[in-house]
Amino acid sequence: MSTPRSGTYAIRSEQDVVLGRQAVRKLAQECGLRLVDQTKLVTAVSELARNAVIYGGGGDMDWTIVEEGARKGVQLVFRDTGPGIADLKQAMTDGWTSGTGLGLGLAGAKRLVDQFEIQSAPGQGTRVTITKWN
Amino acid sequence: MDRIPILRMGSFLLVTIQVDMHDQLAMTLQDDLSAKISETSAKGVLIDISALDVVDSFIGRMIGMISGLSRIMDAETVVVGMQPAVAITLVELGLTLSGVSTALDVERGMKLLRERVQSQ
Protein backbone atom coordinates (compact mmCIF):
# COMPACT_ATOMS: atom_id res chain seq x y z
CA MET A 1 0.00 0.00 0.00
CA SER A 2 1.47 3.32 -0.96
CA THR A 3 1.20 6.25 1.38
CA PRO A 4 -0.46 9.41 0.07
CA ARG A 5 1.87 11.92 -1.56
CA SER A 6 -0.39 14.91 -1.25
CA GLY A 7 -3.39 16.21 0.61
CA THR A 8 -5.16 19.24 2.03
CA TYR A 9 -5.77 20.56 5.52
CA ALA A 10 -8.36 23.17 6.35
CA ILE A 11 -6.89 26.15 8.20
CA ARG A 12 -9.87 27.91 9.76
CA SER A 13 -8.95 28.48 13.40
CA GLU A 14 -6.01 28.88 15.75
CA GLN A 15 -6.39 25.22 16.63
CA ASP A 16 -6.00 24.34 12.94
CA VAL A 17 -2.72 26.28 12.91
CA VAL A 18 -1.44 23.98 15.67
CA LEU A 19 -2.69 20.87 13.83
CA GLY A 20 -1.11 22.10 10.59
CA ARG A 21 2.24 22.56 12.33
CA GLN A 22 2.08 19.02 13.71
CA ALA A 23 1.11 17.54 10.34
CA VAL A 24 3.94 19.32 8.55
CA ARG A 25 6.42 18.20 11.21
CA LYS A 26 5.52 14.58 10.37
CA LEU A 27 5.87 15.21 6.62
CA ALA A 28 9.26 16.88 7.16
CA GLN A 29 10.45 13.89 9.18
CA GLU A 30 9.26 11.51 6.45
CA CYS A 31 11.29 13.47 3.91
CA GLY A 32 14.39 13.20 6.04
CA LEU A 33 14.76 16.90 6.81
CA ARG A 34 17.30 17.67 9.55
CA LEU A 35 15.88 18.85 12.87
CA VAL A 36 16.85 22.48 12.22
CA ASP A 37 15.20 22.39 8.79
CA GLN A 38 12.09 20.74 10.24
CA THR A 39 11.89 23.52 12.80
CA LYS A 40 12.36 26.24 10.18
CA LEU A 41 9.67 24.76 7.95
CA VAL A 42 7.20 24.27 10.80
CA THR A 43 7.82 27.85 11.98
CA ALA A 44 7.16 29.18 8.47
CA VAL A 45 3.95 27.12 8.44
CA SER A 46 2.92 28.71 11.70
CA GLU A 47 3.40 32.22 10.29
CA LEU A 48 1.63 31.55 6.99
CA ALA A 49 -1.23 29.54 8.49
CA ARG A 50 -1.84 32.28 11.05
CA ASN A 51 -1.92 34.88 8.26
CA ALA A 52 -4.53 32.76 6.45
CA VAL A 53 -6.69 32.65 9.60
CA ILE A 54 -6.26 36.25 10.77
CA TYR A 55 -5.99 38.19 7.52
CA GLY A 56 -7.51 35.75 5.04
CA GLY A 57 -10.51 34.73 7.14
CA GLY A 58 -9.45 31.09 6.95
CA GLY A 59 -8.05 29.03 4.12
CA ASP A 60 -6.50 25.74 3.15
CA MET A 61 -3.05 24.21 3.13
CA ASP A 62 -2.22 21.80 0.31
CA TRP A 63 0.78 19.56 0.87
CA THR A 64 2.84 17.54 -1.57
CA ILE A 65 5.91 15.40 -1.12
CA VAL A 66 8.14 16.45 -4.01
CA GLU A 67 11.13 14.65 -5.44
CA GLU A 68 13.88 15.93 -7.69
CA GLY A 69 16.57 13.39 -8.47
CA ALA A 70 17.83 12.09 -5.16
CA ARG A 71 16.40 14.85 -3.02
CA LYS A 72 13.03 15.00 -1.39
CA GLY A 73 11.10 17.90 -0.03
CA VAL A 74 7.83 19.22 1.29
CA GLN A 75 5.87 21.68 -0.82
CA LEU A 76 3.00 23.58 0.76
CA VAL A 77 0.44 25.94 -0.70
CA PHE A 78 -1.49 28.28 1.60
CA ARG A 79 -4.65 29.56 -0.04
CA ASP A 80 -7.18 31.98 1.27
CA THR A 81 -9.99 33.97 -0.28
CA GLY A 82 -9.55 36.98 1.96
CA PRO A 83 -9.10 40.64 0.97
CA GLY A 84 -5.65 40.02 -0.53
CA ILE A 85 -2.59 42.22 -0.25
CA ALA A 86 -2.49 45.50 -2.17
CA ASP A 87 1.20 46.25 -1.77
CA LEU A 88 3.12 42.97 -1.92
CA LYS A 89 6.46 44.72 -1.97
CA GLN A 90 5.72 46.48 1.30
CA ALA A 91 4.30 43.31 2.85
CA MET A 92 7.53 41.51 2.02
CA THR A 93 9.80 44.09 3.66
CA ASP A 94 11.47 43.24 6.93
CA GLY A 95 10.03 46.14 8.87
CA TRP A 96 6.74 44.32 8.72
CA THR A 97 8.19 41.30 10.45
CA SER A 98 10.22 42.32 13.43
CA GLY A 99 9.49 44.69 16.24
CA THR A 100 6.42 44.81 18.37
CA GLY A 101 3.84 45.45 15.68
CA LEU A 102 1.70 42.69 14.27
CA GLY A 103 3.68 42.17 11.09
CA LEU A 104 2.72 39.69 8.43
CA GLY A 105 5.89 37.70 9.02
CA LEU A 106 6.22 37.11 5.30
CA ALA A 107 9.83 38.21 5.00
CA GLY A 108 10.75 36.02 7.97
CA ALA A 109 8.89 33.02 6.60
CA LYS A 110 10.63 33.46 3.25
CA ARG A 111 14.05 33.25 4.89
CA LEU A 112 13.13 29.97 6.58
CA VAL A 113 12.39 28.01 3.40
CA ASP A 114 14.24 27.17 0.16
CA GLN A 115 11.58 28.39 -2.25
CA PHE A 116 8.91 31.01 -1.67
CA GLU A 117 6.34 32.37 -4.07
CA ILE A 118 3.44 34.69 -3.31
CA GLN A 119 0.48 35.70 -5.44
CA SER A 120 -2.05 38.18 -4.18
CA ALA A 121 -4.21 41.02 -5.33
CA PRO A 122 -6.97 43.06 -3.68
CA GLY A 123 -10.18 41.05 -3.67
CA GLN A 124 -8.48 37.92 -4.98
CA GLY A 125 -7.14 36.32 -1.82
CA THR A 126 -3.58 35.26 -1.21
CA ARG A 127 -1.67 32.18 -2.31
CA VAL A 128 1.75 31.39 -0.89
CA THR A 129 3.80 28.41 -2.10
CA ILE A 130 6.82 27.25 -0.12
CA THR A 131 9.22 24.35 -0.51
CA LYS A 132 11.83 22.97 1.85
CA TRP A 133 14.28 20.33 0.62
CA ASN A 134 16.18 17.74 2.62
CA MET B 1 -10.63 26.47 28.89
CA ASP B 2 -6.98 25.41 28.58
CA ARG B 3 -4.53 27.14 30.87
CA ILE B 4 -0.82 26.90 31.45
CA PRO B 5 -0.21 26.41 35.19
CA ILE B 6 1.80 29.00 37.11
CA LEU B 7 3.55 27.62 40.18
CA ARG B 8 4.74 29.74 43.08
CA MET B 9 8.08 28.98 44.69
CA GLY B 10 8.97 31.50 47.39
CA SER B 11 9.15 34.88 45.73
CA PHE B 12 9.38 33.38 42.26
CA LEU B 13 6.82 32.13 39.77
CA LEU B 14 7.52 29.10 37.60
CA VAL B 15 5.91 28.46 34.26
CA THR B 16 6.63 25.31 32.27
CA ILE B 17 5.10 25.36 28.82
CA GLN B 18 4.52 21.76 27.81
CA VAL B 19 1.92 22.06 25.09
CA ASP B 20 2.01 23.21 21.50
CA MET B 21 0.53 26.63 22.14
CA HIS B 22 -2.17 28.23 20.09
CA ASP B 23 -2.37 32.00 20.16
CA GLN B 24 -5.20 32.32 22.65
CA LEU B 25 -3.34 30.14 25.13
CA ALA B 26 -0.33 32.44 24.87
CA MET B 27 -2.52 35.50 25.45
CA THR B 28 -4.16 33.86 28.46
CA LEU B 29 -0.75 33.08 29.94
CA GLN B 30 0.23 36.72 29.63
CA ASP B 31 -2.92 37.84 31.46
CA ASP B 32 -2.65 35.14 34.14
CA LEU B 33 0.99 35.89 34.78
CA SER B 34 0.51 39.62 35.24
CA ALA B 35 -2.40 38.93 37.62
CA LYS B 36 -0.27 36.45 39.56
CA ILE B 37 2.69 38.85 39.84
CA SER B 38 0.37 41.48 41.24
CA GLU B 39 -1.32 39.02 43.62
CA THR B 40 1.88 37.44 44.99
CA SER B 41 4.31 40.38 44.67
CA ALA B 42 6.65 37.93 42.95
CA LYS B 43 10.16 39.18 42.30
CA GLY B 44 11.01 36.80 39.52
CA VAL B 45 9.43 34.73 36.77
CA LEU B 46 11.07 31.68 35.25
CA ILE B 47 9.63 30.40 31.98
CA ASP B 48 10.77 26.97 30.85
CA ILE B 49 10.29 26.48 27.11
CA SER B 50 12.39 23.31 26.75
CA ALA B 51 9.35 21.35 25.58
CA LEU B 52 8.52 23.83 22.80
CA ASP B 53 9.73 22.65 19.41
CA VAL B 54 8.35 25.73 17.64
CA VAL B 55 8.56 29.37 18.67
CA ASP B 56 7.15 31.55 15.93
CA SER B 57 6.94 35.34 15.79
CA PHE B 58 3.72 35.41 17.81
CA ILE B 59 5.04 33.33 20.69
CA GLY B 60 8.38 35.14 20.46
CA ARG B 61 6.62 38.49 20.81
CA MET B 62 4.55 37.10 23.67
CA ILE B 63 7.73 36.12 25.51
CA GLY B 64 9.12 39.61 24.95
CA MET B 65 5.90 41.18 26.19
CA ILE B 66 5.82 39.05 29.35
CA SER B 67 9.39 40.06 30.05
CA GLY B 68 8.67 43.76 29.60
CA LEU B 69 5.43 43.54 31.51
CA SER B 70 7.01 41.86 34.52
CA ARG B 71 9.84 44.38 34.51
CA ILE B 72 7.46 47.28 34.96
CA MET B 73 5.76 45.26 37.70
CA ASP B 74 9.13 44.98 39.49
CA ALA B 75 9.80 41.34 38.62
CA GLU B 76 12.63 39.83 36.58
CA THR B 77 11.96 37.25 33.87
CA VAL B 78 14.32 34.52 32.72
CA VAL B 79 13.48 32.23 29.81
CA VAL B 80 15.21 28.86 30.00
CA GLY B 81 15.71 25.71 27.95
CA MET B 82 15.34 26.98 24.40
CA GLN B 83 16.11 24.15 21.97
CA PRO B 84 19.06 24.92 19.64
CA ALA B 85 16.94 24.43 16.51
CA VAL B 86 14.39 26.89 17.89
CA ALA B 87 17.11 29.45 18.65
CA ILE B 88 18.55 29.19 15.12
CA THR B 89 15.08 29.57 13.61
CA LEU B 90 14.19 32.59 15.76
CA VAL B 91 17.33 34.47 14.76
CA GLU B 92 16.72 33.70 11.08
CA LEU B 93 13.15 34.86 11.48
CA GLY B 94 14.52 38.17 12.74
CA LEU B 95 13.49 37.86 16.37
CA THR B 96 16.45 38.15 18.68
CA LEU B 97 14.40 38.58 21.88
CA SER B 98 16.45 41.61 22.84
CA GLY B 99 15.77 42.59 26.41
CA VAL B 100 14.80 39.06 27.41
CA SER B 101 17.12 37.28 29.84
CA THR B 102 17.82 33.66 29.03
CA ALA B 103 19.61 30.73 30.62
CA LEU B 104 20.37 27.26 29.33
CA ASP B 105 18.44 25.32 31.96
CA VAL B 106 16.19 25.74 34.99
CA GLU B 107 19.04 25.50 37.50
CA ARG B 108 21.05 28.27 35.86
CA GLY B 109 17.90 30.30 35.39
CA MET B 110 17.04 30.11 39.10
CA LYS B 111 20.59 31.11 39.97
CA LEU B 112 20.37 34.11 37.66
CA LEU B 113 17.04 35.16 39.16
CA ARG B 114 18.36 34.92 42.73
CA GLU B 115 21.42 37.00 41.84
CA ARG B 116 19.28 39.64 40.16
CA VAL B 117 16.89 39.91 43.08
CA GLN B 118 19.66 39.98 45.68
CA SER B 119 21.53 42.75 43.91
CA GLN B 120 18.51 45.03 44.00
Side-chain angles (χ1 to χ4, degrees):
Chain A
M1 200 179 86
S2 67
T3 49
R5 313 300 291 163
S6 63
T8 298
Y9 288 95
I11 308 283
R12 307 270 188 274
S13 66
E14 286 179 11
Q15 203 56 51
D16 290 339
V17 175
V18 175
L19 294 175
R21 289 202 296 246
Q22 291 168 352
V24 171
R25 170 80 65 177
K26 281 208 188 93
L27 294 172
Q29 285 167 346
E30 270 175 45
C31 286
L33 264 72
R34 298 183 307 143
L35 179 63
V36 173
D37 289 331
Q38 288 173 25
T39 306
K40 286 181 183 177
L41 178 62
V42 172
T43 305
V45 166
S46 196
E47 304 291 337
L48 297 172
R50 178 182 297 108
N51 284 352
V53 172
I54 295 178
Y55 302 105
D60 292 291
M61 177 182 77
D62 302 323
W63 63 269
T64 312
I65 303 284
V66 284
E67 281 178 53
E68 201 179 84
R71 65 177 189 168
K72 255 173 128 177
V74 183
Q75 185 170 75
L76 303 164
V77 180
F78 296 85
R79 299 178 276 121
D80 70 58
T81 51
I85 303 167
D87 191 342
L88 267 182
K89 205 174 161 194
Q90 187 186 39
M92 288 302 299
T93 55
D94 243 334
W96 286 70
T97 309
S98 53
T100 50
L102 274 177
L104 293 173
L106 287 173
K110 186 180 178 181
R111 278 197 296 274
L112 297 176
V113 295
D114 298 320
Q115 281 155 294
F116 182 102
E117 195 193 327
I118 183 164
Q119 292 165 291
S120 187
Q124 312 207 337
T126 301
R127 181 188 177 96
V128 183
T129 308
I130 60 172
T131 312
K132 188 86 178 163
W133 296 99
N134 67 356
Chain B
M1 199 179 86
D2 289 343
R3 277 205 139 76
I4 294 169
I6 301 170
L7 308 177
R8 187 179 175 183
M9 200 172 111
S11 54
F12 298 139
L13 299 176
L14 302 182
V15 180
T16 301
I17 302 172
Q18 294 191 331
V19 289
D20 200 349
M21 279 200 290
H22 54 83
D23 295 357
Q24 191 53 51
L25 195 57
M27 297 303 288
T28 307
L29 174 63
Q30 195 176 311
D31 292 350
D32 288 354
L33 205 49
S34 54
K36 200 86 169 180
I37 293 170
S38 161
E39 184 190 316
T40 62
S41 309
K43 287 289 167 197
V45 177
L46 187 129
I47 303 176
D48 175 16
I49 60 165
S50 57
L52 283 188
D53 54 15
V54 181
V55 174
D56 63 6
S57 65
F58 187 87
I59 298 172
R61 268 196 296 266
M62 189 272 301
I63 289 171
M65 278 165 81
I66 286 179
S67 180
L69 187 81
S70 39
R71 192 169 301 127
I72 54 175
M73 293 181 78
D74 194 26
E76 296 282 338
T77 302
V78 176
V79 174
V80 305
M82 186 183 291
Q83 294 179 16
V86 170
I88 292 168
T89 302
L90 266 185
V91 172
E92 203 145 337
L93 198 58
L95 275 173
T96 51
L97 297 186
S98 54
V100 178
S101 300
T102 57
L104 283 180
D105 54 40
V106 173
E107 203 177 323
R108 286 174 224 219
M110 286 305 285
K111 189 166 168 269
L112 186 63
L113 272 185
R114 280 194 209 97
E115 285 166 4
R116 291 268 176 87
V117 170
Q118 272 163 14
S119 69
Q120 276 178 2

